[in-house]
């Protein structure tokens, strides 16, 4: 409720599986560029899944500096296996196994968060689409060594639009959270999974759970890699708005009703407006 982000330990996902996921991701990014390009996405035509590279100035004039690989990993029937890397050979088995484990971890977290609001255990899970509709989107962020880290960011400051985000990393610090007016660097806790509350849960809880502003830094000496999985409600099927139980006369709804797609559009529009105003 205060930070909206935490280290999860004793999460029930084995160190061995987590290590396999990391090794597979790291091995992919170490492939020759022409191998990675076989999986290239095409942002212009709206195909965002696959391999991409980002080297662009953000609104504050800093350079965003990262390679990434983005694809849907759960539910199984919605996967597009044609864009999953064939090399290394363990990428597909490790990712499949991890997605199933992570999906059940998401259920546990949503249950705890429901109870924290005084709701029935399964309530938040149902509100974000349940087992059939909640999408798990995986994004591996690869931040090369950066000779002048003060001029670049891995990822600019943002809140996640998801319901929940789960993050693994290669123990190179770089995640920063904006808390009480200053940037705080998250500690690296071995074998933990970092979990963020996203906008979706902030909206449903009427602001009781926080979707905290955060950013990713680059490093001068070391490559930094993170494996983020965003748990997202379906784009059009659900109207996101504060649950009736979280609203009262003294606590009116803080968010207007929107679909997930409308929420994303609203954020993009606001970001564009802010960028134009700052010029």
């Amino acid at each position: 409720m205060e930070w909206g982000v935490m280290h999860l330990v004793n999460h029930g996902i084995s160190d061995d599986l987590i290590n396999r996921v990391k090794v597979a991701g790291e091995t992919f990014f170490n492939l020759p560029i022409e191998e990675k390009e076989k999986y290239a996405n095409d942002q212009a035509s709206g195909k965002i899944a696959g391999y991409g590279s980002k080297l662009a100035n953000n609104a504050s004039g800093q350079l965003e500096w990262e390679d990434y690989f983005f694809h849907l990993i759960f539910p199984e029937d919605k996967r597009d296996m044609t864009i999953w890397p064939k090399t290394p050979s363990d990428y597909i088995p490790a990712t499949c196994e991890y997605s199933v484990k992570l999906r059940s971890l998401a259920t546990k977290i949503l249950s705890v968060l429901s109870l924290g609001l005084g709701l029935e255990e399964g309530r938040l899970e149902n509100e974000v689409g349940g087992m059939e509709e909640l999408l798990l989107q995986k994004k591996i962020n690869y931040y090369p060594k950066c000779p002048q880290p003060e001029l670049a960011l891995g990822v600019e400051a943002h809140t996640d639009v998801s319901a929940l985000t789960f993050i693994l990393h290669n123990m190179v610090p770089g995640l920063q959270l904006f808390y009480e007016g200053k940037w705080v660097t998250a500690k690296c806790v071995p074998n933990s999974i970092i979990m963020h509350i996203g906008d979706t849960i902030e909206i449903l809880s009427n602001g009781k759970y926080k979707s905290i502003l955060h950013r990713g830094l680059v490093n001068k000496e070391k490559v930094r890699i993170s494996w983020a999985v965003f748990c997202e409600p379906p784009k059009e099927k659900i109207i996101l708005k504060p649950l009736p139980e979280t609203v009262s006369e003294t606590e009116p709804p803080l968010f207007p009703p929107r679909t997930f797609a409308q929420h994303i559009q609203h954020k993009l529009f606001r970001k564009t407006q802010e960028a134009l105003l700052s010029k």
Side-chain angles (χ1 to χ4, degrees):
M1 287 183 165
E2 202 175 322
W3 285 81
V5 62
M6 64 188 77
H7 294 285
L8 299 178
V9 294
N10 303 326
H11 41 66
I13 302 178
S14 72
D15 296 351
D16 175 59
L17 178 56
I18 284 176
N19 194 47
R20 281 173 58 205
V21 169
K22 289 182 179 181
V23 168
E26 196 164 343
T27 307
F28 173 80
F29 279 99
N30 288 333
L31 292 172
I33 186 75
E34 55 273 16
E35 273 300 304
K36 292 183 283 197
E37 287 289 348
K38 288 178 185 171
Y39 303 97
N41 62 9
D42 184 6
Q43 296 265 9
S45 68
K47 180 178 169 270
I48 56 168
Y51 169 73
S53 209
K54 205 164 160 189
L55 199 58
N57 281 332
N58 64 25
S60 59
Q62 280 178 303
L63 197 63
E64 283 195 277
W65 174 285
E66 66 158 343
D67 279 3
Y68 62 89
F69 196 97
F70 180 79
H71 62 118
L72 182 141
I73 59 172
F74 198 91
E76 292 168 39
D77 61 348
K78 293 187 169 76
R79 293 171 177 162
D80 174 5
M81 300 308 289
T82 63
I83 57 155
W84 287 43
K86 314 286 184 288
T87 311
S89 58
D90 194 37
Y91 185 95
I92 292 174
T95 304
C96 288
E97 200 179 323
Y98 181 61
S99 71
V100 172
K101 298 276 190 205
L102 204 59
R103 184 61 188 85
S104 65
L105 180 60
T107 294
K108 279 184 196 164
I109 297 292
L110 289 166
S111 300
V112 173
L113 293 173
S114 295
L115 294 172
L117 292 171
L119 307 168
E120 290 163 24
E121 239 178 284
R123 182 67 184 281
L124 283 175
E125 169 131 7
N126 286 338
E127 294 288 344
V128 295
M131 201 50 92
E132 310 295 312
E133 298 285 351
L134 186 68
L135 305 177
L136 267 57
Q137 310 266 18
K138 178 179 166 195
K139 185 175 179 224
I140 311 175
N141 300 296
Y142 181 93
Y143 308 107
K145 288 181 211 173
C146 181
Q148 291 180 284
E150 66 285 353
L151 298 181
L153 277 173
V155 176
E156 67 176 319
H158 65 287
T159 61
D160 290 350
V161 292
S162 59
L164 302 171
T165 304
F166 295 97
I167 302 171
L168 302 173
H169 55 78
N170 66 337
M171 295 298 287
V172 176
L175 172 66
Q176 288 196 323
L177 315 153
F178 195 67
Y179 183 70
E180 292 187 341
K182 57 179 189 289
W183 288 104
V184 180
T185 303
K187 294 187 178 79
C188 290
V189 176
N191 305 323
S192 69
I193 299 175
I194 293 171
M195 189 207 80
H196 281 281
I197 298 285
D199 298 351
T200 297
I201 293 291
E202 182 174 69
I203 292 166
L204 292 170
S205 71
N206 201 27
K208 291 177 175 60
Y209 293 133
K210 296 283 177 289
S211 180
I212 198 168
L213 195 65
H214 58 283
R215 66 183 185 185
L217 301 188
V218 289
N219 194 289
K220 197 171 180 174
E221 274 87 40
K222 293 175 180 165
V223 167
R224 187 169 163 260
I225 311 175
S226 67
W227 292 256
V229 174
F230 305 99
C231 305
E232 298 182 349
K235 281 200 156 58
E236 305 288 354
K237 282 189 180 176
I238 291 169
I239 301 293
L240 295 176
K241 61 178 195 287
L243 298 174
E245 296 89 336
T246 64
V247 176
S248 66
E249 276 183 29
T250 54
E251 295 177 315
L254 300 173
F255 307 93
R258 288 192 181 110
T259 63
F260 186 60
Q262 285 169 336
H263 174 67
I264 293 171
Q265 282 309 113
H266 166 72
K267 280 189 87 162
L268 288 173
F269 175 73
R270 214 171 61 195
K271 191 174 154 185
T272 312
Q273 294 298 96
E274 284 166 7
L276 289 171
L277 288 171
S278 67
K279 281 179 177 161

